[in-house]
Amino acid sequence: MKSFKIAVLAGDGIGPEITQEAVKILKLVEQRNDVTFELVPALFGACAYFETGDAFPQATKDICDKADAILKGPIGLSHEESKNIPIDKQPERGALLPMRKRYNTYANYRPVSLPKELGHFSPLKPEIIGEGIDLIMVRELVGGLYFGAKETGVNDEGLRYVKETLEYDEKQIRQILHHAFKLASKRKKVLHNIHKSNVLKSSVLWNEIVEEVSPEYPDVEVINILVDAAATLLCLKPTQFDVMVMENMFGDILSDQGGGILGSLGLMPSACLGDDKAYYEPSHGSAPDIAGKNIANPYSMIGSVAMMLENSFDMHDEAKNIWNAMQGVFADGYSTADLSKPGAGVKMIGTTEFGDKVVEKLSQMPTP
Ligand code: NAD
C-alpha cells in the first residue's frame, strides 16, 4: 500500500471552508484506493501571523519540509484588514512568496477549462465558447518582479519613490519553457508564447530562449503573442489557445482573466511544481467578501486535489474521476452562487453540499 504525507494549510477567509471539502475527497480516495494519506494541518497566512507573529512559522516549515505534497488554501485579508499586519509580514510577502522560494516551485499550471455543456456559466456568448474552453496557462512562479530587489525612499527632489527589479536568468526561463513544451507536446502541439518584447528587455531574452529551446520539440508549433493582445484574444477567441506560457506577473493577471471567462475564479485550481516539491492551491484569493457563509465554490480546491493526484502521486485515473464527478454535479443542474443567479433555472447549493455531491458521484464510479 502506498502512503503519502500531505501538509494541509487551510489558510484564511474561505480557505478553511473549501479545504474541508477537499479533505472529504481525499478521505474518499483513500477508502477507494490502495493508498493512505497522512493529513497534517498547519497554520499559514494571516491566521498564522495572528497566532504566532509569523505568517509562515517554523513549525509549518518543518511540516511542509517533511510532506510529500502540500495542499494550500487561499490566504490573505481584505484591503482594510491587511493594515493590521506590518507590510513585510502580510500573507503574500510573509508566507506565499517565501514558500514558493523555499521549495523552488517555479512551474505553475493553471487550467482554464469549461466543457460546452457548462457554457452557460461563462459570460461569453455560446458561439465564442464553441465546443468548450480547455486551455492551460503555464506561469513562471519564482522570478520576475515579484522576487526582484525592492527599494523605497525619498529622492533628491524630496519625492517618495519606489524601485522594483524584474530579473530573470536564462536557466530560469529555460526550465519553465521545458515544462510548457513538454505539456504542449502531450496535448495539441501548439504553444502560445506570451511576451512583451516590444517594450521589455526581459521578454527579448525570454523570446531568445524560446527560439533556442524550440528545436528540441520539433512537433510543437510556437505562436508568439504580446501579452496585451493575448488578454483581448482570451475574450474574443479563447478556443484558439491550448498551452500558454508566460512570466510571473503576466501569468498572475491573465490567469485571473481565465477565471473571468469561465464565469468564476472558483473554477480555477492550480499546481505549483518544483523539481523536488510541489504544492497545490486555488488560483484565487481568500474571498473575504463571502467567507463564513457556506457559499464559496470548492471546485478550485477539489480540483487542486485532483492535480495533486496527477502530479505528485501518479494517480491519473482517480484524478480523472474527480474532475468527472465535479462536472457531473454541475451537469445534474446544481450550481454554487458564484456561477448562477437565483432564478437562473439551476438548483443552488452551498459549499458543503457541493462537496457532499462530489463525494456521492465519486463513490458511484468504479475504482481505477
Ligand atoms: P479573491 O480572488 O479572493 O476574490 C475575487 C472575487 O472572486 C471575489 O468576489 C470573491 O468572492 C470571488 N471568489 C474567489 N474565489 C471564489 C470561490 N472559490 N467561490 C466563489 N467566489 C470566489 O481576490 P481579492 O478579493 O482581491 O483578494 C482577497 C485576498 O486574497 C487578498 O488578501 C489577496 O492578497 C489574497 N490573495 C491570495 C492568493 C493566494 O493565496 N494564492 C491569491 C490571490 C489573492
Side-chain angles (χ1 to χ4, degrees):
M1 168 153 341
K2 286 191 284 184
S3 176
F4 298 109
K5 196 183 282 244
I6 304 174
V8 180
L9 320 179
D12 304 314
I14 60 169
E17 297 167 59
I18 58 177
T19 300
Q20 187 176 298
E21 303 315 304
V23 166
K24 275 184 195 166
I25 306 304
L26 279 168
K27 293 207 184 295
L28 177 60
V29 169
E30 221 180 2
Q31 279 170 31
R32 286 164 44 86
N33 295 269
D34 209 15
V35 66
T36 56
F37 298 129
E38 185 190 343
L39 306 180
V40 191
L43 289 170
F44 190 72
C47 58
Y49 172 79
F50 291 126
E51 188 98 8
T52 71
D54 188 351
F56 190 10
Q58 187 57 46
T60 300
K61 288 180 183 146
D62 292 343
I63 289 170
C64 292
D65 286 353
K66 289 188 200 125
D68 295 300
I70 300 162
L71 182 65
K72 180 203 149 285
I75 57 171
L77 299 174
S78 68
H79 187 70
E80 278 310 308
E81 280 178 320
S82 295
K83 293 176 185 160
N84 298 324
I85 304 183
I87 285 179
D88 286 328
K89 298 211 170 220
Q90 286 173 4
E92 268 94 344
R93 270 180 293 266
L96 190 61
L97 299 184
M99 181 152 88
R100 290 174 180 172
K101 197 80 188 164
R102 184 178 186 86
Y103 300 121
N104 192 24
T105 52
Y106 61 87
N108 184 201
Y109 289 17
R110 296 191 156 183
V112 180
S113 182
L114 193 70
K116 180 184 180 181
E117 302 72 51
L118 303 181
H120 53 283
F121 288 152
S122 170
L124 302 182
K125 294 179 185 142
E127 59 267 33
I128 289 178
I129 293 170
E131 291 306 302
I133 299 171
D134 182 23
L135 62 94
I136 180 156
M137 295 192 189
V138 179
R139 167 189 175 194
E140 200 291 326
L141 202 60
V142 297
L145 265 181
Y146 294 9
F147 286 88
K150 294 172 198 302
E151 184 184 300
T152 52
V154 178
N155 67 17
D156 294 344
E157 294 165 54
L159 301 172
R160 284 171 295 163
Y161 77 93
V162 59
K163 192 152 85 179
E164 303 197 281
T165 319
L166 198 174
E167 204 175 340
Y168 272 111
D169 66 33
E170 60 178 295
K171 181 177 171 227
Q172 282 178 301
I173 299 171
R174 210 175 289 277
Q175 65 186 5
I176 186 70
L177 289 177
H178 279 296
H179 267 269
F181 271 103
K182 282 186 187 135
L183 199 57
S185 185
K186 279 192 236 151
R187 291 173 53 117
K188 293 188 180 158
K189 304 187 191 308
V190 179
L191 176 62
H192 281 88
N193 173 45
I194 310 303
H195 67 97
K196 185 75 183 167
S197 69
N198 52 344
V199 175
L200 297 175
K201 284 277 182 74
S202 52
S203 282
V204 173
L205 177 63
W206 180 281
N207 289 355
E208 275 172 28
I209 311 295
V210 169
E211 287 188 14
E212 288 168 19
V213 172
S214 174
E216 295 180 48
Y217 302 89
D219 57 331
V220 176
E221 180 195 1
V222 176
I223 299 175
N224 297 294
I225 300 199
L226 291 169
V227 61
D228 34 354
T232 313
L233 293 171
L234 268 175
C235 297
L236 297 181
K237 202 177 172 210
T239 51
Q240 74 184 281
F241 295 111
D242 188 50
V243 180
M244 304 170 77
V245 65
M246 63 207 83
E247 65 89 55
N248 202 343
M249 190 170 73
F250 296 166
D252 191 1
I253 297 169
L254 277 196
S255 60
D256 261 35
Q257 192 185 342
I261 63 172
L262 299 185
S264 169
L265 283 170
L267 293 177
M268 291 288 295
S270 91
C272 309
L273 310 174
D275 291 336
D276 304 315
K277 186 80 103 184
Y279 83 90
Y280 300 85
E281 64 168 358
S283 298
H284 58 72
S286 57
D289 53 332
I290 57 166
K293 296 181 179 164
N294 191 38
I295 56 172
N297 186 349
Y299 182 103
S300 54
M301 197 73 194
I302 298 173
S304 298
V305 165
M307 295 185 85
M308 178 185 283
L309 299 193
E310 283 161 10
N311 290 281
S312 287
F313 305 152
D314 210 14
M315 296 177 71
H316 297 270
D317 292 336
E318 188 68 329
K320 223 170 267 164
N321 285 337
I322 295 175
W323 294 119
N324 288 339
M326 289 201 291
Q327 311 264 334
V329 173
F330 289 136
D332 285 350
Y334 295 100
S335 170
T336 43
D338 51 321
L339 291 167
S340 306
K341 302 253 171 306
V346 297
K347 294 169 259 183
M348 204 70 81
I349 52 175
T351 312
T352 48
E353 291 90 339
F354 186 89
D356 291 343
K357 296 216 171 286
V358 177
V359 164
E360 205 180 301
K361 283 260 175 231
L362 185 58
S363 313
Q364 289 159 5
M365 291 178 179
T367 10

